[in-house]
Amino acid sequence: MIKAQRGTKDIFGEESLTWQWILDNAKNVFQNACFSEIKTPIFEATELFARGVGDSTDIVNKEMYTFCVGGAQKDSTSITLRPENTAGVVRAFIEHNIVRQSPPQKFWYFGPMFRYERPQAGRQRQFHQIGVEMFGIKDAAADAEVIMAAVNFLKSVGLGNLEVELNSLGCTKCKNDYKNSIKEILKPHLENLCDDCKMRYEKNPLRILDCKDENCQKIFELPEVKEVIMKDYICDECSSHFEQVTNYLDSLNIKYSRNKLLVRGLDYYNRTVFEIKSSLLGSQSAVCGGGRYDGLVEMLGGQPTPAVGFAMGVERLFTLVEKIQAQKIDYFVVSSNTIEAMKLAQKLRQENKVADFDMSARKFAKQLEKASKIAKLAVILGEDEINQGFYSVKNLENGEQIKISTFEELIKI
Ligand code: HAM
């Protein structure tokens, strides 16, 4: 038997109802806030992610599904299954010159993403994200608008009490100052950091702060190290931007806390970064991650354009929301005359009713047994009903059976 690949999952039956419900809510909430849907391809040029997400990140270094198409031909290209969607949306934004439309340009999306990670609860190799990206506004109102969209969506699926964790990475200069200080204070401890952090030390020192390794955590707790980590490195302008974001969130009654260790795993962020977590998710606790990325559009070849967005993991949301139960269908047509049963099911469906019938003309008793499991009403089409033109309708909840003479009456029950 061929099985699904590790870290992938089939979604069907009742699970797909809950998925559908999550998506319907996303569509409502984001479209009410004037985000329009964008669908971008599932694979892109590898270079887009190497440059966009950053070639010092775990995603680009270890987790991409990259392959060459075109074999040994001269024009063979390296393509990658998207590990995230911000880079793809930015590519589309530049390619279609969307910058010409008056800002803000606001998009939402849903779709599968691919990361070659070690599968565990809440971490898959193919997973799905719902996200938004907004372009053109540098003011703190944009950060708050995007966080508000995330919180409103979570409320709509019954997760209104999750707290937003917030931090500011500052601008390029602030980020560099911070990186240098972190490197300096950690230099004497380099030998005791985990192997990943030893690599990060040169390539991406801020990511060290995100390390969950016990020994690394102990080093971060040393008073002289903690002092440097906790110090504010952001300049006055970035500080004031951050304060404005928090003022907006206060006015909107959105609960948040400052997490100075929140640095995010992708390179494109500046200023505001945020995550929304749930302790019920265990070690993979983030449902949502996002932030501002004012330099990415220019870095990928577009005009300088401020931008901010987030993405949520749908599989993680799924474990938190109440599951939707399958409802019984409206009508099941019970008949040994398959053509008449099929014709009646067709007529009912055209009236927007949920109807089914038995395709192999099994015995009446078998058909009724099936109907009582899945339907509210059984419409019995025996020889008498067909010849004399009426319907026998059995209410499968209370067992009552009545005669109905017209189709119009049948659809009103
Ligand atoms: P991210 O933090 O890498 O950010 O992913 C966002 C969310 O996707 C995570 O919080 C998590 O819920 C979910 N997720 C990530 N990896 C996995 C996985 N292997 N299995 C299951 N769920 C996962 C981004 O992707 C950015 N593009 C977000 C963004 C948009 N920033 C600005 N705009």
Side-chain angles (χ1 to χ4, degrees):
M1 185 177 56
I2 301 171
K3 289 192 167 173
Q5 292 291 297
R6 270 189 82 208
T8 69
K9 197 170 181 302
D10 301 309
I11 299 148
F12 59 95
E14 293 201 347
E15 277 198 12
S16 81
L17 292 177
T18 307
W19 271 72
Q20 203 53 54
W21 174 75
I22 291 174
L23 272 183
D24 287 347
N25 278 288
K27 189 171 166 197
N28 270 342
V29 171
F30 299 139
Q31 293 193 349
N32 284 352
C34 306
F35 290 86
S36 67
E37 190 177 6
I38 184 164
K39 289 185 166 74
T40 57
I42 280 168
F43 59 87
E44 300 269 2
T46 303
E47 194 194 346
L48 176 71
F49 303 114
R51 275 167 58 194
V53 176
D55 54 15
S56 65
T57 59
D58 285 353
I59 294 181
V60 171
N61 274 325
K62 308 188 209 162
E63 297 170 2
M64 295 215 296
Y65 282 89
T66 295
F67 44 97
C68 259
V69 282
Q73 323 247 319
K74 254 212 305 216
D75 58 355
S76 70
T77 28
S78 173
I79 61 173
T80 292
L81 300 184
R82 60 183 186 194
E84 59 100 58
N85 206 25
T86 309
V89 173
V90 169
R91 198 254 323 122
F93 181 84
I94 300 168
E95 187 167 339
H96 303 291
N97 211 4
I98 296 174
V99 73
R100 274 178 320 178
Q101 299 164 15
S102 79
Q105 297 91 357
K106 299 164 80 174
F107 299 102
W108 78 276
Y109 53 79
F110 160 75
M113 310 291 152
F114 306 86
R115 296 185 193 175
Y116 188 71
E117 299 194 80
R118 195 170 49 80
Q120 61 182 90
R123 197 201 265 164
Q124 288 183 221
R125 292 183 170 168
Q126 176 175 331
F127 60 99
H128 296 75
Q129 284 185 343
I130 290 173
V132 316
E133 312 293 350
M134 173 156 80
F135 299 91
I137 309 289
K138 64 178 185 340
D139 307 65
D143 311 45
E145 161 82 334
V146 157
I147 294 172
M148 178 164 66
V151 169
N152 284 348
F153 164 63
L154 288 171
K155 261 191 204 148
S156 77
V157 293
L159 304 174
N161 50 6
L162 302 183
E163 194 170 278
V164 180
E165 285 188 6
L166 207 59
N167 196 16
S168 175
L169 301 176
C171 55
T172 317
K173 171 150 188 332
C174 316
K175 249 168 115 175
N176 281 339
D177 289 350
Y178 195 31
K179 275 183 198 168
N180 291 337
S181 309
I182 298 279
K183 279 179 83 170
E184 209 177 299
I185 194 69
L186 288 179
K187 202 169 184 177
H189 307 282
L190 197 51
E191 271 309 298
N192 299 324
L193 291 174
C194 71
D195 289 346
D196 275 346
C197 284
K198 280 183 190 134
M199 289 218 328
R200 290 172 185 146
Y201 184 83
E202 284 308 332
K203 286 181 142 185
N204 200 349
L206 288 190
R207 282 292 286 161
I208 294 179
L209 304 184
D210 217 19
C211 184
K212 307 283 180 288
D213 180 89
E214 236 177 76
N215 281 334
C216 295
Q217 292 276 341
K218 276 188 196 147
I219 298 173
F220 306 156
E221 286 301 320
L222 296 171
E224 69 279 14
V225 178
K226 198 166 182 175
E227 193 190 326
V228 172
I229 293 175
M230 289 305 179
K231 208 172 137 202
D232 248 328
Y233 282 87
I234 54 176
C235 64
D236 288 351
E237 250 182 88
C238 290
S239 239
S240 131
H241 182 94
F242 189 66
E243 198 185 321
Q244 285 172 43
V245 175
T246 56
N247 287 344
Y248 280 119
L249 297 184
D250 288 337
S251 316
L252 293 164
N253 265 332
I254 292 177
K255 283 190 283 172
Y256 60 87
S257 61
R258 175 96 189 252
N259 176 359
K260 294 270 301 183
L261 297 182
L262 183 65
V263 287
R264 307 275 301 129
L266 306 98
D267 273 357
Y268 44 64
Y269 295 111
N270 65 297
R271 291 197 165 166
T272 317
V273 285
F274 64 95
E275 279 186 351
I276 304 179
K277 295 179 180 166
S278 166
S279 54
L280 298 176
L281 289 173
S283 62
Q284 304 303 313
S285 60
V287 182
C288 172
R292 188 166 266 287
Y293 49 97
D294 294 334
L296 187 59
V297 179
E298 190 180 9
M299 206 243 280
L300 293 174
Q303 293 174 23
T305 310
V308 53
F310 67 78
M312 306 213 185
V314 183
E315 284 77 3
R316 293 189 194 173
L317 274 174
F318 184 86
T319 58
L320 295 175
V321 299
E322 291 235 352
K323 305 294 177 290
I324 308 280
Q325 304 261 307
Q327 289 202 342
K328 289 200 162 172
I329 68 168
D330 299 322
Y331 302 88
F332 190 93
V333 185
V334 174
S335 181
S336 48
N337 186 329
T338 310
I339 294 179
E340 288 303 322
M342 194 184 249
K343 273 164 54 184
L344 180 58
Q346 158 86 334
K347 260 176 105 175
L348 288 163
R349 289 167 184 170
Q350 280 166 347
E351 294 299 324
N352 216 11
K353 302 289 182 193
V354 185
D356 215 345
F357 66 100
D358 189 280
M359 276 183 270
S360 32
R362 288 180 301 171
K363 292 210 168 87
F364 253 62
K366 280 270 170 225
Q367 291 193 33
L368 263 177
E369 194 185 313
K370 160 109 184 181
S372 62
K373 281 188 193 140
I374 65 161
K376 294 176 204 155
L377 297 169
V379 187
I380 297 161
L381 281 187
E383 264 175 41
D384 287 351
E385 283 83 355
I386 295 170
N387 292 337
Q388 294 164 35
F390 69 95
Y391 307 101
S392 298
V393 180
K394 183 165 184 175
N395 181 325
L396 296 166
E397 263 140 46
N398 59 19
E400 261 175 36
Q401 188 162 322
I402 49 172
K403 268 189 181 178
I404 302 257
S405 43
T406 67
F407 180 73
E408 286 66 34
E409 277 175 78
L410 178 65
I411 56 175
K412 280 196 196 119
I413 303 181

